[in-house]
Amino acid sequence: AQKVTQAQTEISVVEKEDVTLDCVYETRDTTYYLFWYKQPPSGELVFLIRRNSFDEQNEISGRYSWNFQKSTSSFNFTITASQVVDSAVYFCALSAISGYSTLTFGKGTMLLVSP
Amino acid sequence: DTGVSQDPRHKITKRGQNVTFRCDPISEHNRLYWYRQTLGQGPEFLTYFQNEAQLEKSRLLSDRFSAERPKGSFSTLEIQRTEQGDSAMYLCASSVNSGAEAFFGQGTRLTVV
């Protein structure tokens, strides 16, 4: 069985602060994919990143960066210099590499960025 | 617009009525998923299609739920004899192959009164 835990229910920061969203996962698969999605108030889930379990390199995309540590089963997401437009619910998700690739989501972390 | 589209965006229905939702995936995507999301929770998998074949169904999908994907294009999700517990956001997603990122529609928010 797969499980994704996002222990932070809600985080509030002031604009320009850095913020890290935590994600811990459990799986019996030796190979898998990890994802982050953003859900703004409009409701649509927006894909942010996919990481293969083979690749433990950290990734940076603009103000976003991801820290994947297989040893601790964590895939944390950092937003640098947060902006009001970053306010949303962020979901971490896990899927097997083979098979139907259904996603197992965490409960999400609501990020509120105030001006 | 070439994204995943869902219709309707909102649906209010009385308990006991039947409802049907439609999803149009990205045209070249042969994989289509339905998820359900309740308030404060992450999306939960309901069912999966590869082309027109329904290959997996979650235990969440009771006998009152049925999904189809005729000709491997759009999909419909029908809920019969709706209950208040069916109130949720129903999300559709599509992807091009195994392990590829899934692209989601804006969802259909169902309220059963």
Side-chain angles (χ1 to χ4, degrees), chain B residues 26-39:
Chain B
I26 295 171
S27 58
E28 62 267 26
H29 288 186
N30 62 4
R31 292 172 173 241
L32 186 147
Y33 305 83
W34 285 98
Y35 289 83
R36 181 171 69 186
Q37 185 180 18
T38 54
L39 201 61

Side-chain angles (χ1 to χ4, degrees), chain A residues 54-71:
Chain A
F54 288 113
D55 181 4
E56 290 195 62
Q57 279 192 332
N58 290 333
E59 182 159 342
I60 297 174
S61 176
R63 296 185 297 107
Y64 296 168
S65 62
W66 290 269
N67 182 359
F68 174 35
Q69 294 197 343
K70 204 168 182 179
S71 60

